[in-house]
Amino acid sequence: MAQIDKTTQFDQRLSVTAEDGGTVNYATLSGSIDQYGVPSMSYYINDGVIYREHLSDFRTAWSAFQDTVFAEADKVANTVAE
């Protein structure tokens, strides 16, 4: 019998408004939590120039993203432990 594993996924795109009014994504944040509450997170910088121009915003968003994933991981881990 094959085991079905459950994971929870998190994704966030960081973007800025371009001069032409369009949107430019400059970073993608990704995370997941496995069935035991173990988190995994990473980011990808799509545009290094915009990233450097918005470094403070990126770091604030990355910290908030991590806090969100860790909070959910704690909930899952506590449920597994019960």
Side-chain angles (χ1 to χ4, degrees):
M1 175 179 237
Q3 178 178 334
I4 298 174
D5 296 324
K6 177 183 176 185
T7 60
T8 303
Q9 299 290 117
F10 297 83
D11 295 301
Q12 182 178 11
R13 285 176 183 68
L14 305 181
S15 61
V16 295
T17 302
E19 292 179 12
D20 65 1
T23 301
V24 177
N25 294 327
Y26 69 91
T28 303
L29 314 179
S30 301
S32 64
I33 302 168
D34 71 11
Q35 68 270 23
Y36 305 108
V38 178
S40 175
M41 292 174 270
S42 64
Y43 60 84
Y44 176 75
I45 305 299
N46 305 350
D47 188 312
V49 173
I50 296 173
Y51 160 76
R52 287 187 296 279
E53 291 172 353
H54 297 277
L55 186 57
S56 179
D57 293 336
F58 170 83
R59 289 183 177 168
T60 298
W62 178 236
S63 290
F65 184 84
Q66 290 178 65
D67 289 345
T68 299
V69 174
F70 282 131
E72 189 64 25
D74 291 346
K75 288 180 193 176
V76 173
N78 289 334
T79 301
V80 171
E82 293 176 352

